[in-house]
Amino acid sequence: MSIAEQGSDNSFFSEFIDDYFAESEEHLTILRRGLLALESFVNKPQIERALLDEIFRSFHSLKGISGMVGVREAEQLAHEMESYLRALRHDQATLSEEGMEGLMAGTKMLEQVISAKREQKPPPDIASVIAQIESTIPNDAHAAPRPSSPGGEASAAEAPRASDEAPAAREEGSDSRIWRFEFIPSTELSARGINVNTVRARLQELGELRNGAPRVMPGGGIAFEFIVASQADEPTLAALREGGLTCEPYEEPPAIPDAKEADRKEAGDLRPEAASVAPAIAPSNVVRVSLGRLDELMRMVGELVISRARLEGTLKNAEREMPATRWRALQETNLMIERQLRDLREGVMRVRMVPVAEIFERMRFVVRDLAREYRKKVNLDLSGQETEIDKLLIERMMDPLLHLVRNAISHGLETPSEREAIGKRAEGTISLRAFTAAERVVIEVEDDGRGIDFAKVADRAREMGLIADKAKLDTEALLDLICSPGFSTRDEADRASGRGVGMAVVKNTVLGLGGEFTLDSEVGRGTRFTIQLPITLAIADALIVSTGGQKFAVPQSSVREVMEIDPSSVTALEEYELIQYRGGALPIVRLARLFDIEEKYERVFHAFVIGSGLNVAGIAVDRIIGHQEIVVRAINDPLIQVAGISGATELGDGQVVLILDAAALIKLPAPGTGLRSTVSG
């Protein structure tokens, strides 16, 4: 059992390993970007030194932190790739196709190993990837010792002494001494705010933190051991001892000169004359916060929003019962609280926002692999990477976007010979775009390939009994078909696309997040999938509407405009109701009829316009009550989910109202409306 496994139930270790996952992801992001840039130097005599050093340092850091938490597979993988990069840095090897493939394969395997650790699953077999990387390393480049293999005899407690990174007892030409610190977490220390992270930060301020590793004590607890080069005096060390640390001088036999020189360069010091100078520790202005804590903070802001709405209602009722001057003073205070609460809400939302580049950049690896597998030439065009969206949405949209990109390569783009035969460039283009529109984020995945053949899809659907023999397809019906579970135009599944299940998941995920999913395709020209998502899910601005005596909330981001309608301007055409709208006709849908609510006819009524393109409709209601911030409570129980309803919220008077789902409303069939049911319905 590894150290990480033995200590998995320890709260201190859990906090430590969360930092490992976050830091690993940062290094993997650097590596994905760096390796794609490095590929342009294959079989060239010179490699850009800054790029090579950046990649080397990330592998070196991954090796170190993986060793500290006992993820030996990741440590060994990083070490092997580090060895190959060292050979490149010392001109002992040339970057070859085989070497580049080994680095790519090793990085993907690193991701799998770290992901398995996070999900507490058995690690994947790394033997074949290790062998692939080792075959590219010259024999004379294995100077530095390798980390012990998984399940080996070496323990974490021995790591600082056995590692090729361990320092000498005293720096040559420097007054720094090498100290060994030990920290044993306890409940008492934790109550004082002292944990492994605060200890590590203090030691970094004390001097140069050379190494660190956890070890399991005989009683089953965990101790952390740190090696630090410092000029600290005795009073400083005594203060550290009072903070739960023990320290003693650290001695080690002289290191092998070649390995010592290699380690000096591994640490990032590329100037020999700087060997005796301890690097300055730059202060960090970044704090890692778990998404769960941000969710809790957003929940509390939501409760404040509801409380302020109650205050608003109370003030309206009290207006007649108090002097005007006193009521105005209270109203001014209420408005000030409203502004401050809105600022707080926006501040919390900004903390949760991350750029979509977090998922866009990962697509480069996917495109590279699949282009090689299908022997296609693909250019990936990214734009709008700085567009920000809620972190939760980023995590939920990772798999859907991966599937759309895979489909674009396997289904959409033609082979180079096919493209040239029809007058296209041999290299196909996949475009990933992101931008904001009002309070929504729009993500587009577009290819310039063969497009979707409506006739072929219709024939396949008829074979499967999904549509009638004479039914015709429009773009919306086509999207419903290709997103039907089990629908696929391919007879055999492959690695990139299977049996139609993927597209169903894409659509369900988008709709489950309160978004819209649309398709635009032209045979021979290409296909574009468009995803519209709310910027955040927790708190939203909404219109409060009333029909048949019942109130509903409509997210403001879904509403194009609001209008007042005179019943005499409505034209009845068979089962449709239409009004003139911007030089055309707008179908009117009565909300009361959609939900079978008793209608209360008025001299005039109101409507809010929703939808886009050809799918636009006016949803008719008795009146628009006003605008209000709402806290969105999603309805996740499938037994009580209703089409056209996305959730519920509480108003200031304590009344619970349902939140309308605009994207679903426009598809609901209802008597006397211009809405039509979907093909699959």
Side-chain angles (χ1 to χ4, degrees), residues 120 122 200 208 212 220 250 313 337 374 377 413 417 471 513 540 603 648 656:
Q120 298 183 355
R200 182 170 55 179
E208 181 184 359
Y250 177 71
I337 293 174
Y374 288 96
K377 296 180 179 179
L413 296 181
S417 59
L513 294 173
R603 187 179 61 84
V656 175

Side-chain angles (χ1 to χ4, degrees), residues 58-305:
S58 288
F59 279 126
H60 183 74
S61 299
L62 274 173
K63 180 182 78 171
I65 62 177
S66 297
M68 288 181 67
V69 297
V71 186
R72 297 304 177 199
E73 293 83 5
E75 181 186 14
Q76 189 174 2
L77 278 166
H79 178 84
E80 293 298 338
M81 290 183 280
E82 182 187 47
S83 298
Y84 179 59
L85 290 167
R86 182 190 294 115
L88 296 177
R89 293 173 74 190
H90 293 180
D91 297 325
Q92 296 173 315
T94 302
L95 182 62
S96 62
E97 289 278 0
E98 295 77 11
M100 193 70 232
E101 288 302 318
L103 291 173
M104 290 286 190
T107 301
K108 286 185 286 187
M109 183 59 73
L110 262 176
E111 293 179 6
Q112 295 176 30
V113 168
I114 295 171
S115 177
K117 185 66 181 177
R118 181 187 286 112
E119 297 170 9
Q120 298 183 355
K121 295 180 179 178
D125 185 7
I126 65 173
S128 60
V129 176
I130 290 288
Q132 181 181 356
I133 301 169
E134 282 185 334
S135 66
T136 64
I137 303 174
N139 292 331
D140 57 350
H142 290 287
R146 299 184 184 182
S148 59
S149 60
E153 296 297 326
S155 68
E158 299 168 343
R161 292 173 174 80
S163 170
D164 56 320
E165 300 172 45
R170 184 183 292 272
E171 294 276 9
E172 184 178 350
S174 170
D175 293 333
S176 294
R177 294 194 63 187
I178 311 303
W179 298 92
R180 174 184 173 274
F181 291 89
E182 184 177 80
F183 172 67
I184 301 176
S186 68
T187 304
E188 178 186 353
L189 292 174
S190 179
R192 293 164 54 189
I194 302 174
N195 56 38
V196 67
N197 294 320
T198 59
V199 167
R200 182 170 55 179
R202 290 187 66 184
L203 293 178
Q204 286 175 333
E205 295 174 357
L206 185 69
E208 181 184 359
L209 180 60
R210 295 297 186 83
N211 211 325
R215 65 179 178 85
V216 178
M217 298 188 297
I222 290 181
F224 292 89
E225 188 174 78
F226 300 95
I227 306 300
V228 179
S230 173
Q231 300 179 12
D233 53 18
E234 184 56 36
T236 303
L237 297 176
L240 289 173
R241 294 187 184 100
E242 293 177 1
L245 281 167
T246 61
C247 66
E248 62 183 11
Y250 177 71
E251 300 290 342
E252 184 197 43
I256 301 173
D258 289 343
K260 185 176 180 179
E261 179 65 21
D263 286 335
R264 186 179 295 126
K265 292 184 178 181
E266 287 171 13
D269 184 2
L270 306 179
R271 299 171 298 129
E273 64 274 15
S276 62
V277 181
I281 304 297
S284 173
N285 61 350
V286 176
V287 177
R288 294 192 183 107
V289 180
S290 71
L291 190 59
R293 292 186 179 182
L294 292 179
D295 287 339
E296 180 65 16
L297 185 58
M298 184 61 84
R299 185 195 64 78
M300 290 188 285
V301 172
E303 296 296 335
L304 284 174
V305 169

